[in-house]
Every structure is written in C-alpha cells, then in structure tokens.
Amino acid sequence: MTAPSSVSAPDGLPVVRLKPKANARAIRRGFPWIYANELVTDRRTKALAAGSLAVLQDDKRQPMGIVGVNPKSKIIARMLDPRVTVRIDQEWFEARLARALALRAQLFDASYYRLVHAEADGLPGVVIDRFGDLCVVQPNAAWAERLLEPLTAALKTVTQVKTVIKNAGGRTRGLEGLDDRSEVLCGSAPDGPVQVPMNGAIYLADVTGGQKTGLFFDQRPNHAFAAGLSRGARVLDVFSHVGGFSLAALAAGAEHALAVDASRPALGLAIGGAAAMQVGARFDTRQGDAFDVLTALGADGAKFDVVICDPPAFAPSRPALEAGLRAYERIARLATPLVAENGILGLCSCSHAADLSAFRGASLRGIGRAGRRAALIHTGFAGPDHPQLPQLAESGYLKSLFFRV
C-alpha cells in the first residue's frame, strides 16, 4: 500500500498530494509546476518550510516524483525529478550541470553564455549565466535558495570557475517570499565590469550591481541578425542597456550608432564597450525615457537606416497584458517614422504573457498608425543557450520581429 500523506517517504521526505481535479497527466508528461489550488494543503503541507523537498503523489496516492515545495507561493511545488528514490544533493546537481555544460560546449567556443535556463535545464527557477571563470546564479525558487550550498559546490566542480555570485534581484524572488540580498558565494568579486566578447563586439557587464546578471545573452542571435543588416548604416538602439544591438552593429561596420536608455550607468558601460572596441567616434548615447526620446527624435525629423527597440517586459503577467500590448503598439508607432525608406525596424518583447501573435498584432497596429507599410522579414527568438521547455509556454518568452519599412 502506498504511504498516506501523513507519513514520510523514503529518506524522511514528507509527502504532498494532488487534488482529484489536478492535471496529473500534464505533470507526468513534463509540465513542471503544481499550483496551490491543485495540491491538498492540509495542516502538515502548510507547515512545510519554504523550499522543503517532498514526494509528490497523485490523488490515488501513486508517487510522481520529488518536488520543491513553497506554501507561500502560487506555484506551490516544482518538479525536480520523477524518480522518488534519488537524493537531491551535490552529486545530483553535478549531473544536471554537466548536462547543461555539454550543450553549451557544443554551441560556443568561448565560455560566455547562459549555462542554466531554469526548467528547460532541469533546475526549476534557477538561472546561471557564465562570464569566463565567473558565474552569476539567480536562485529564483525557494528550493534552490535552500540548497544553494550544494548547488554552488557542484557548479565549482563542474565548471572550474573561480567566482560564484548570487544575484537576488528580480520580481520572481519576491513572489517566492525570498529576500533581495545579493552576495559573493565563493571567490572574490571583480574590481570592475567584466569584458564579454560576443558577435564581434565587446560588452561590459556589471555582474555585481547591474541589471539581472549584468548582460542579456538571450538576444545574441538577434543582435547578429540586425548587425548583418547594418554595414554602412545609421543605427538607433532604443532600450539599449549596455549597447546590445548598437555595439554589434558597429562591430559589423555600421556608420554610426545612437544608444538610448533610461539608465545612465548602463550607457556608461556601453560607452566603455565602444572604447574597448575602438569605435567610440562612431557611437553616441542619449539618456532619458525612451518614449520621450523617440518623440523628440521624430519632432526633429531624424532618420535611421536601422531602428531597434528592445524594451523591458511591458506585460510581465496576464493581468498586465492589455496595458502591455498598448505600450508595444505605442513603441512601434513612435519608432516607425524614424526609419528611412526601405530601412529596417526591429521590435522585441520579453513578455511571456504576450504571445507571438499578440505581440505581432500590436506591432503592426503601431506601424499602421504611423502611416507606413512594412514587410516582416525575420522572426527571432532567444538563443540556443536559452532552451525552451515545450510544456512550459513561459520558457519561450523572447520574440524579435524585423520589418522592412
């Protein structure tokens, strides 16, 4: 007879159980999340500490795997391993990390990439970006925070990096009830920004105080596509962060690039990257609200051969979708007049709540409201170091649309 929920599973793990109406089939087929309304939340389950490991059973008390539990989160459990007999320890982490590393070694010649992309790499809620002999870890789920020590030890063993930094920023940790204290887990923090070679450009990543882990590796193939259209071009890079599209364009032979961002420190890093590339004479920045800057450039009659807009997530959740789509439409409406005849307009979204169809529709409405016509020439997504878990739509968050206007 299978153990009831009130007794412990092997290795002393508690047991949690699905409600009869929960979609056990989807979980068995790879969906990694169990929502709070799908789990029996009796007194014992509610008393579990955030990040506790447990054995998940279906409503018929058949074991389904080991999960990380957080009674404080809407995602109350995350599937870690369908084998109920495994131990979630350093050796387990090493196996997951080695598998992730093997893929990146096939993809890249240099060790600058996303090493772990959460659920798609078998580590739910965990993001790890690698910068040479340094890794930045974002443990965005309670179970990973609780097991950060064996995770860090495994990361050092598998990658041989010297420094591991925990980044505790971001909205997701708040939803999990976790703190926002970043720290150096091993080694020593760099004295300044880290140089990152990518697409022929040099980027400066602030791995201790910058946005997210310091750099966005996900746009790498889209940077490359835009750069390939930028030889001899005048380029406008809006929401540029540390110069993602503009520095790649300059490396590919753009005549000039203007980077626009609200963050003065980010633009300072972009300037530093341009200096390291020795293209500073062809690079300018403008600090300010992107909507205001686009409006001002339009009033001035400015024209560019390539215009790229890569904003933050305007629709980070389903309730924000309608307002987010209006914002994407407005960006397209303001950016389109700045594109020279037969020029290129790139519009990006990292909002998982706005799927490709909805984002494309908002973009086309904005282009139409600007009185222009455009042909869609390319649709880009995150690079292969950001694999998608097919069962989890949220893992396919990034969309990049390129139009000839």
Side-chain angles (χ1 to χ4, degrees):
M1 180 181 295
T2 305
S5 61
S6 61
V7 304
S8 295
D11 289 333
L13 292 182
V15 174
V16 295
R17 191 174 72 251
L18 292 178
K19 293 179 178 178
K21 292 184 178 180
N23 194 345
R25 178 179 295 181
I27 297 167
R28 284 196 170 97
R29 291 180 175 177
F31 187 74
W33 296 347
I34 297 92
Y35 295 102
N37 63 356
E38 297 178 306
L39 201 70
V40 175
T41 49
D42 55 19
R43 177 174 54 84
R44 289 183 176 85
T45 299
K46 290 180 180 179
L48 291 175
S52 296
L53 301 182
V55 171
L56 177 68
Q57 295 179 347
D58 64 17
D59 64 303
K60 297 178 177 62
R61 301 181 186 270
Q62 295 301 306
M64 300 180 66
I66 296 178
V67 294
V69 181
N70 185 357
K72 300 177 181 178
S73 175
K74 289 183 178 180
I75 303 174
I76 196 169
R78 299 171 189 259
M79 180 61 72
L80 304 183
D81 201 305
R83 303 167 297 170
V84 296
T85 57
V86 301
R87 295 178 62 88
I88 309 297
D89 54 13
Q90 181 177 333
E91 184 178 353
W92 183 87
F93 279 113
E94 287 177 6
R96 296 288 165 109
L97 292 170
R99 184 173 182 271
L101 180 61
L103 172 63
R104 278 68 181 183
Q106 289 180 283
L107 295 171
F108 305 109
D109 294 329
S111 52
Y112 298 88
Y113 43 67
R114 173 147 295 181
L115 174 61
V116 170
H117 192 51
E119 282 78 1
D121 282 304
L123 293 172
V126 178
V127 168
I128 303 176
D129 282 348
R130 184 172 185 179
F131 302 87
D133 61 0
L134 180 152
C135 280
V136 179
V137 180
Q138 287 186 304
N140 294 327
W143 79 272
E145 181 79 11
R146 193 177 180 95
L147 296 178
L148 194 53
E149 187 174 336
L151 170 58
T152 302
L155 184 59
K156 288 178 61 182
T157 298
V158 171
T159 64
Q160 299 295 301
V161 295
K162 298 177 180 177
T163 299
V164 179
I165 296 173
K166 170 189 167 183
N167 181 292
R171 172 177 173 270
T172 307
R173 284 181 61 86
L175 296 175
E176 285 280 297
L178 302 174
D179 63 53
D180 59 356
R181 294 193 301 274
S182 299
E183 60 180 313
V184 178
L185 299 175
C186 70
S188 56
D191 295 332
V194 175
Q195 285 197 5
V196 179
M198 190 163 59
N199 289 323
I202 297 174
Y203 297 94
L204 299 187
D206 180 358
V207 297
T208 57
Q211 190 175 354
K212 299 292 177 117
T213 64
L215 194 70
F216 296 105
F217 285 120
D218 54 0
Q219 285 280 24
R220 186 192 318 241
N222 301 314
H223 290 164
F225 181 81
L229 300 172
S230 298
R231 179 174 293 277
R234 299 158 295 166
V235 176
L236 175 63
D237 179 11
V238 186
F239 304 100
S240 68
H241 192 227
V242 298
F245 281 96
S246 45
L247 295 186
L250 290 169
E255 176 186 303
H256 184 269
L258 172 62
V260 176
D261 201 89
S263 169
R264 194 174 300 278
L267 290 177
L269 293 169
I271 292 170
M277 296 165 57
Q278 299 183 348
V279 296
R282 295 187 280 133
F283 183 61
D284 284 312
T285 64
R286 185 175 298 191
Q287 190 264 333
D289 176 82
F291 292 97
D292 293 342
V293 173
L294 287 171
T295 301
L297 289 171
D300 292 342
K303 295 290 181 182
F304 301 86
D305 303 299
V306 177
V307 175
I308 309 290
C309 297
D310 183 18
F314 287 148
S317 62
R318 185 63 57 182
L321 178 58
E322 185 177 340
L325 291 176
R326 288 197 300 269
Y328 287 123
E329 179 182 332
R330 185 182 175 204
I331 284 288
R333 177 175 60 81
L334 292 173
T336 299
L338 303 178
V339 183
E341 188 73 15
N342 296 320
I344 301 299
L345 173 64
L347 300 171
C348 308
S349 166
C350 59
S351 298
H352 69 78
D355 65 17
L356 177 60
S357 177
F359 173 58
R360 186 170 53 222
S363 299
L364 289 171
R365 287 193 298 274
I367 293 170
R369 288 185 62 194
R372 303 287 294 274
R373 290 190 176 186
L376 179 63
I377 62 170
H378 179 68
T379 300
F381 302 97
D385 54 340
H386 292 64
Q388 296 184 31
L389 184 67
Q391 298 89 340
L392 188 66
E394 287 83 351
S395 65
Y397 64 97
L398 183 65
K399 290 81 62 177
S400 295
L401 305 176
F402 293 89
F403 300 90
R404 188 172 191 244
V405 181

